């Protein structure tokens, strides 16, 4: 199943995308894609509901905006430097255990919304990533049990302001949590749709030029390791997002380093998770 949310900003409704690409409004189901939905077998209940009600669901036009395909979660946990070549291009050592940081949930936006280059930004960058959506509360879980706690997967562009992230003192969150810095979607694919998340192609283009193209088979820490590891330090709640890191090809690693300018267009995708597109816009008060 592919879960979407659609409509104006802050007024999104739940929907589904069918195999043929048709989008249906499922607000009649009576529940949005939030913590209680993911934690209460909402996916299974929605599947049953659709068997009886799909024919009565309104179709969603292609021109309707897609929002982030889940309600703002309790947290977005990100894994840094999870591809060896990206660590190399960043001038950082390959980590011996996962590097974790948080991304502000207020950074969430729709898959095709504009990305706003922040006030005083010098080095806004792109990062295509595979993200996990948690489906069951996870605390101190073993790797073998990781998939029991996953609801699905989603495409994420981990937009990053490198001067804020690296050149200012303190933690990376300064460069990761700006508004619009987490375009997510177009849809959440439930885990049954992705046979092996540790072997998916992912790519990103800027202004039509391909800059990132790799596979999650190059993970330093795979899906099972990441979910289990994070659960040793915090409880993961249903609907939480884990973003698993980006491959080489970010602006920071280019020679010379290259960053987003107003008008630049990012297009990106992960195998089985669709494609998103964002236009960079200058900050306006």
């Amino acid at each position: 199943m592919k879960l979407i949310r659609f409509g104006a900003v802050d007024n999104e409704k739940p929907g589904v995308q069918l195999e043929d690409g048709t989008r249906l409004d499922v607000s009649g189901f009576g529940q949005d894609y939030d913590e209680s939905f993911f934690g209460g077998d909402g996916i299974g209940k929605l599947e049953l509901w659709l068997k009886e009600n799909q024919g009565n669901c309104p179709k969603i036009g292609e021109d309707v905006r897609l929002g982030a395909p889940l309600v703002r979660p309790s947290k977005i946990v990100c894994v840094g430097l999870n591809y060896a070549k990206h660590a190399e291009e960043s001038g950082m050592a390959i980590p011996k255990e996962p590097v974790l940081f948080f991304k502000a949930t207020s950074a969430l936006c729709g898959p095709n919304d504009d990305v706003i280059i922040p006030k005083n930004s010098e080095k806004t960058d792109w990062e295509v990533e595979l993200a996990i959506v948690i489906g069951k509360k996870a605390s101190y879980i073993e790797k073998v049990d990781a998939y029991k706690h996953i609801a699905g997967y989603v495409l994420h562009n981990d937009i990053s302001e490198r001067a804020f992230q690296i050149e200012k003192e303190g933690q990376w969150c300064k460069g990761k949590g700006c508004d619009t810095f987490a375009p997510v979607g177009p849809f959440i694919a439930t885990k049954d749709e992705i046979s092996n998340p540790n072997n998916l192609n992912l790519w990103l283009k800027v202004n039509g030029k391909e800059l990132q193209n790799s596979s999650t088979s190059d993970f330093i820490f795979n899906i099972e390791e990441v979910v289990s590891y994070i659960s040793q330090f915090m409880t993961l709640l249903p609907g939480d997002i884990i973003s698993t890191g980006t491959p080489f090809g970010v602006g920071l690693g280019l020679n010379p380093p290259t960053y987003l300018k107003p008008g630049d267009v990012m297009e990106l995708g992960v195998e089985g998770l669709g494609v998103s597109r964002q236009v960079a816009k200058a900050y306006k008060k």
Side-chain angles (χ1 to χ4, degrees):
M1 183 181 290
K2 295 179 175 68
L3 306 178
I4 64 170
R5 294 175 75 246
F6 66 96
V9 175
D10 296 329
N11 285 290
E12 294 91 347
K13 297 179 181 179
V16 295
Q17 180 173 309
L18 306 180
E19 289 304 309
D20 64 2
T22 302
R23 294 169 178 168
L24 299 179
D25 178 344
V26 298
S27 53
F29 175 65
Q31 190 174 14
D32 208 343
Y33 303 146
D34 56 13
E35 181 179 337
S36 63
F37 172 85
F38 290 108
D41 190 30
I43 292 172
K45 291 174 182 176
L46 178 57
E47 286 177 336
L48 290 174
W49 184 86
L50 278 169
K51 289 179 181 179
E52 298 288 333
N53 297 280
Q54 181 171 315
N56 298 319
C57 294
K59 290 185 178 180
I60 303 165
E62 289 295 317
D63 58 338
V64 176
R65 172 187 174 270
L66 292 179
L70 75 174
V71 176
R72 187 182 297 176
S74 81
K75 51 190 169 291
I76 302 172
V77 189
C78 300
V79 183
L81 308 175
N82 201 22
Y83 293 76
K85 287 185 180 179
H86 175 55
E88 181 181 338
E89 73 176 350
S90 301
M92 300 179 187
I94 295 174
K96 295 182 175 62
E97 58 185 290
V99 173
L100 303 182
F101 61 92
F102 287 105
K103 202 169 180 79
T105 58
S106 54
L108 272 179
C109 64
N112 304 310
D113 289 348
D114 293 337
V115 164
I116 306 303
I117 298 172
K119 184 179 180 179
N120 301 319
S121 168
E122 303 171 359
K123 300 177 180 179
T124 296
D125 204 348
W126 54 85
E127 294 191 9
V128 60
E129 305 203 3
L130 167 67
I132 301 162
V133 178
I134 295 297
K136 179 183 176 183
K137 185 177 177 181
S139 179
Y140 298 112
I141 66 169
E142 300 296 326
K143 286 186 286 186
V144 69
D145 294 322
Y147 288 104
K148 297 176 184 176
H149 297 265
I150 293 174
Y153 305 93
V154 68
L155 169 63
H156 175 218
N157 192 355
D158 176 20
I159 306 292
S160 308
E161 212 296 340
R162 302 302 186 187
F164 298 175
Q165 176 192 358
I166 299 170
E167 297 169 25
K168 291 185 179 293
E169 293 190 14
Q171 298 181 348
W172 287 5
C173 60
K174 293 178 183 177
K176 295 286 190 172
C178 303
D179 291 352
T180 74
F181 269 28
V184 171
F187 54 77
I188 295 169
T190 52
K191 64 181 175 182
D192 57 294
E193 295 214 355
I194 304 296
S195 59
N196 183 4
N198 293 314
N199 188 21
L200 299 175
N201 175 248
L202 66 170
W203 57 270
L204 179 142
K205 299 177 182 180
V206 177
N207 299 328
K209 182 178 180 180
E210 187 171 84
L211 296 174
Q212 293 186 280
N213 194 324
S214 188
S215 170
T216 59
S217 62
D218 290 333
F219 277 150
I220 298 170
F221 306 104
N222 67 21
I223 296 294
E224 304 94 295
E225 292 171 311
V226 162
V227 174
S228 172
Y229 181 85
I230 295 172
S231 79
Q232 308 307 308
F233 301 96
M234 67 195 77
T235 296
L236 293 165
L237 298 176
D240 282 354
I241 294 173
I242 299 173
S243 203
T244 59
T246 198
F248 68 94
V250 300
L252 173 68
L254 298 178
N255 188 16
T258 304
Y259 300 106
L260 292 169
K261 309 178 303 297
D264 284 348
V265 178
M266 293 170 283
E267 298 169 279
L268 56 150
V270 174
E271 182 181 347
L273 298 178
V275 174
S276 68
R277 179 183 185 273
Q278 300 96 39
V279 179
K281 296 287 181 71
Y283 170 81
K284 290 184 180 179
K285 195 169 183 179

